[in-house]
Amino acid sequence: MTKELIPPQNRGMTVLDRDAFKKKFHTLAIRVPTVLVKKYTTELEDKLLNAPRIRSVVADGTSNDSKLILLSMDVQDIEVEGCQVVPYEFELDYDYWTTEQILYSVMPEGDAETPSSFTATGHIAHVNLKQENIPFKSLIAQVILDKNKKIKSVVNKTNAIDNTYRNFQMELLAGPDMMITELAKNECRFKFDFSKVYWNSRLQAEHCRNQKLGDVMAGVGPFSIPAAKKGAFVYANDLNPSSYQWLCENIRLNKLSPNTIHTYNMDGRAFIRKAVAEVWADKLTFQHFVMNLPATAIEFLDAFKGAYYGMDIPVDKLPMIHCYCFTKSGDATEDIQQRVCQILGGPIDAAFCNMQMYHVRTVAPKKDMYCISFRLSPEVAFQQNTTGPIFVS
């Protein structure tokens, strides 16, 4: 095992100086005839310099008939019969070190977390920097650009996703201000303006083959478009005009028939009731509703109260609802169930509703995203409608 190779410590560096990351290392090497390299590397396997991206066998500057076998820096003294042991020096520079190694070497000592992670959305890298990382933001962004050839621009979120349209304010840290990006996901192509819409590449499309899907907060189509490609009949809605624009563009980009996806640009509650009524006009019903607005989606569940009032639908044909949400509770299941039941006005019948919940991802310390799935209960669906008449245009 080789001693860990670490870059020079440059604590407090805020302007990137690539030359400051050069460092020389010293070890031992064995000079062996070229024809015997395989023999000796096998015999000395546990003593070789096994370091990432560094060859254990290198050219011998003194002869074309021999090679140098580099030994682990842990080896201080060794004798190999018939071979000469010589000192060997090698230098590593900025190009060798990983993003995490470089950033760790510049962050103040004792920093609990090295800000090397990011979410890639096409050519854009999105970081969530903590307050203590802000003085280093330009350096962090430049290192990410240098080490990830597909990344062209780096942005930092400057506030939480808490407004009506779900897009966050951001600061461009490095690279050109090119926010229209394109990427492939779930065998589909997506194009959109990252600065104006909500996109989460870690979410997965529901399995809705040959079924009817209501996508209440569709964004640019990460659920709707893959589902439609698999044969689902989709109603997709988003209140954000920019999201709606790119949703329609992505439908064209993926060559989907307009009859496959019906698109809407309206409030989520109004959409739920309108979509249910429109589909029921043909004596059909949805199998799934997806609500991907984790900050507030639970609050929209009240739109299902009485949404099926007066409709002759078997209770086992009521839709499954997939609601994404955030929680900071130590007991995520209890917290989310309680909030859902409060909005729906009663408990979820676990036996009937087939309730499931899974962890999607951690978005911040002590803040997790979950998806709760359950079948809409008849008590909620068929209760007398108190929200007024539904007008279907």
Side-chain angles (χ1 to χ4, degrees):
M1 183 72 177
T2 299
K3 286 181 181 177
E4 184 181 4
L5 298 175
I6 58 174
Q9 302 302 289
N10 292 290
R11 302 292 183 193
M13 177 187 288
T14 57
V15 178
L16 182 61
D17 178 5
R18 296 176 181 83
D19 288 337
F21 292 93
K22 292 179 179 178
K23 186 175 181 180
K24 292 182 178 179
F25 296 88
H26 298 86
T27 190
L28 297 176
I30 300 172
R31 179 174 286 123
V32 301
T34 301
V35 294
L36 297 178
V37 165
K38 186 174 182 180
K39 172 182 180 296
Y40 282 105
T41 54
T42 300
E43 291 179 0
L44 299 168
E45 183 178 6
D46 61 340
K47 294 183 174 59
L48 299 181
L49 180 68
N50 289 317
R53 306 186 306 284
I54 298 179
R55 294 181 178 179
S56 296
V57 179
V58 298
D60 180 7
T62 66
S63 171
N64 293 329
D65 297 325
S66 60
K67 297 284 187 181
L68 295 180
I69 298 177
L70 307 187
L71 301 179
S72 166
M73 291 187 295
D74 294 324
V75 177
Q76 300 297 316
D77 186 31
I78 190 173
E79 291 186 7
V80 180
E81 187 176 354
C83 297
Q84 183 182 8
V85 178
V86 297
Y88 185 82
E89 178 184 270
F90 61 97
E91 183 178 75
L92 301 178
D93 59 16
Y94 175 80
D95 291 337
Y96 177 79
W97 309 114
T98 66
T99 303
E100 188 169 6
Q101 286 175 317
I102 290 174
L103 296 185
Y104 179 80
S105 76
V106 302
M107 293 293 119
E109 252 185 300
D111 220 19
E113 188 176 341
T114 302
S116 59
S117 62
F118 62 88
T119 300
T121 305
H123 69 273
I124 301 169
H126 166 215
V127 297
N128 290 318
L129 298 182
K130 295 182 179 180
Q131 192 59 40
E132 58 265 31
N133 300 142
I134 296 302
F136 304 91
K137 63 184 181 181
S138 295
L139 181 146
I140 292 168
Q142 189 58 56
V143 174
I144 290 173
L145 277 186
D146 289 346
K147 299 296 180 177
N148 300 273
K149 299 309 177 186
K150 292 183 179 180
I151 297 298
K152 304 300 179 187
S153 302
V154 182
V155 299
N156 178 43
K157 183 172 71 173
T158 57
N159 73 333
I161 303 172
D162 58 0
N163 59 25
T164 303
Y165 293 153
R166 296 190 296 166
N167 53 315
F168 53 79
Q169 305 226 346
M170 65 178 71
E171 177 186 12
L172 180 67
L173 300 182
D177 188 6
M178 299 188 307
M179 293 297 106
I180 295 180
T181 189
E182 191 167 351
L183 66 152
K185 189 74 176 176
N186 294 326
E187 300 180 356
C188 300
R189 293 170 62 200
F190 296 96
K191 185 177 181 181
F192 50 90
D193 187 334
F194 188 67
S195 66
K196 294 182 179 179
V197 307
Y198 173 78
W199 172 266
N200 185 348
S201 61
R202 298 179 184 178
L203 299 179
Q204 298 177 349
E206 304 298 333
H207 301 291
C208 300
R209 184 185 298 275
N210 298 323
Q211 296 185 333
K212 290 179 177 58
L213 165 69
D215 194 349
V216 185
M217 300 96 175
V220 300
F223 285 99
S224 296
I225 290 174
K229 275 203 164 187
K230 293 176 181 177
F233 179 77
V234 181
Y235 272 55
N237 170 72
D238 203 281
L239 179 62
N240 183 344
S242 293
S243 294
Y244 176 76
Q245 172 196 340
W246 289 109
L247 169 65
C248 296
E249 172 63 23
N250 289 326
I251 290 170
R252 290 189 289 270
L253 191 65
N254 287 277
K255 300 179 181 178
L256 291 170
S257 166
N259 295 327
T260 305
I261 302 185
H262 292 235
T263 57
Y264 298 83
N265 177 209
M266 59 194 301
D267 172 74
R269 288 184 178 87
F271 166 75
I272 289 170
R273 306 186 75 83
K274 181 181 180 68
V276 167
E278 283 192 359
V279 171
W280 180 244
D282 294 324
K283 299 301 179 184
L284 301 172
T285 187
F286 288 96
Q287 281 78 42
H288 298 272
F289 274 97
V290 176
M291 304 176 72
N292 174 24
L293 178 56
T296 58
I298 286 178
E299 299 172 16
F300 286 79
L301 289 172
D302 61 1
F304 289 102
K305 295 165 73 171
Y308 289 83
Y309 176 71
M311 299 180 188
D312 185 19
I313 299 173
V315 295
D316 63 345
K317 299 299 182 184
L318 290 170
M320 290 293 296
I321 297 173
H322 310 276
C323 182
Y324 288 81
C325 54
F326 293 132
T327 181
K328 294 182 178 180
S329 172
D331 189 340
T333 300
E334 175 65 23
D335 173 57
I336 294 170
Q337 283 191 49
Q338 185 177 25
R339 287 156 58 198
V340 168
C341 292
Q342 183 177 3
I343 295 296
L344 291 177
I348 297 174
D349 184 339
F352 170 80
C353 295
N354 189 28
M355 190 194 74
Q356 302 174 40
M357 189 155 60
Y358 68 88
H359 180 262
V360 178
R361 67 185 182 106
T362 298
V363 296
K366 298 182 180 179
K367 184 177 181 181
D368 295 294
M369 184 191 295
Y370 279 80
C371 178
I372 181 170
S373 298
F374 59 93
R375 187 175 300 282
L376 185 64
S377 70
E379 291 79 11
V380 173
F382 298 134
Q383 68 177 262
Q384 187 170 1
N385 185 354
T386 59
T387 61
I390 301 171
F391 296 96
V392 180
S393 59

